[in-house]
Amino acid sequence: MAPPPAAPGPPPRLAGLTQPIVFLDTETGGRDPRRHPLLTVGLVTLTPAGEVTRPLHLRVRHDTYDVEEEAMAVNGIDLTAHHAQAQPPEAVADAIRAYAAKEGRVMLGGHNFGFDLGFLRPLLPDLGSVFRRGQVDTKVTAQFLIHAGLLPRKVGTALDDLAAHFGITYQAHDALEDARATAEVYAACLRRVRSPQG
């Protein structure tokens, strides 16, 4: 009689990753951080062991909301419910600082991350002292892997395409879900280039 199958173990360690990375995503009321509000921030931590931990979803309250219909149709946020549950920007910034402090000064990551950073920097003007300088961007990482021949060109670099390619399911356009999927995509990319010896 065959022995029962072994219980699945933890994911393989991510060779070369020596510190956690905090992955972050935002949902906003439009594309212009000078005009449109930052609405939600999602954070997760990717550990060197390849685990995605410490999910945190924050909602940002504003006195007024100058939003684009198209953006709200994409993110599906009900502003009345959002406002009732949200915190002032200062409290959200403090929550992000507290989150980061538990990991130490580590790197931030995201997908097409320049967009998120445009909204994050006004909220967190001390970003460079809260997190390490330099960020991980899974869009850029995927483009590199395509150029290196380690990902098929047809996969593309959109987060939903990469998630589908790696078998990652998530609810798109939710800041916490997008942050989690981005962390899992990055882990999958690292495993794709992991050396046979490591």
Side-chain angles (χ1 to χ4, degrees), residues 47-174:
T47 72
E51 297 170 324
V52 177
T53 64
R54 300 186 61 221
L56 179 65
H57 195 209
L58 300 165
R59 295 171 177 83
V60 188
R61 182 187 302 148
H62 301 273
D63 294 331
T64 59
Y65 295 89
D66 182 357
V67 298
E68 292 180 334
E69 278 187 39
E70 181 183 351
M72 302 310 291
V74 169
N75 65 42
I77 293 172
D78 177 300
L79 284 178
T80 301
H82 170 87
H83 189 80
Q85 298 170 4
Q87 299 175 288
E90 301 78 15
V92 172
D94 284 345
I96 295 172
R97 291 184 187 103
Y99 185 99
K102 289 188 178 177
E103 296 297 345
R105 195 161 172 261
V106 299
M107 191 175 286
L108 263 179
H111 188 84
N112 194 25
F113 203 34
F115 176 86
D116 303 280
L117 289 171
F119 285 87
L120 187 62
R121 285 191 177 108
L123 176 76
L124 207 64
D126 55 341
L127 183 70
S129 60
V130 175
F131 295 97
R132 283 176 55 191
R133 294 189 186 276
Q135 290 90 28
V136 168
D137 190 326
T138 48
K139 186 178 180 75
V140 176
T141 302
Q143 191 66 67
F144 169 79
L145 292 179
I146 290 169
H147 290 167
L150 296 173
L151 274 182
R153 188 167 294 276
K154 65 182 181 182
V155 171
T157 59
L159 181 59
D160 54 352
D161 293 334
L162 291 165
H165 177 76
F166 289 118
I168 297 163
T169 58
Y170 77 110
Q171 176 78 39
H173 304 300
D174 171 280

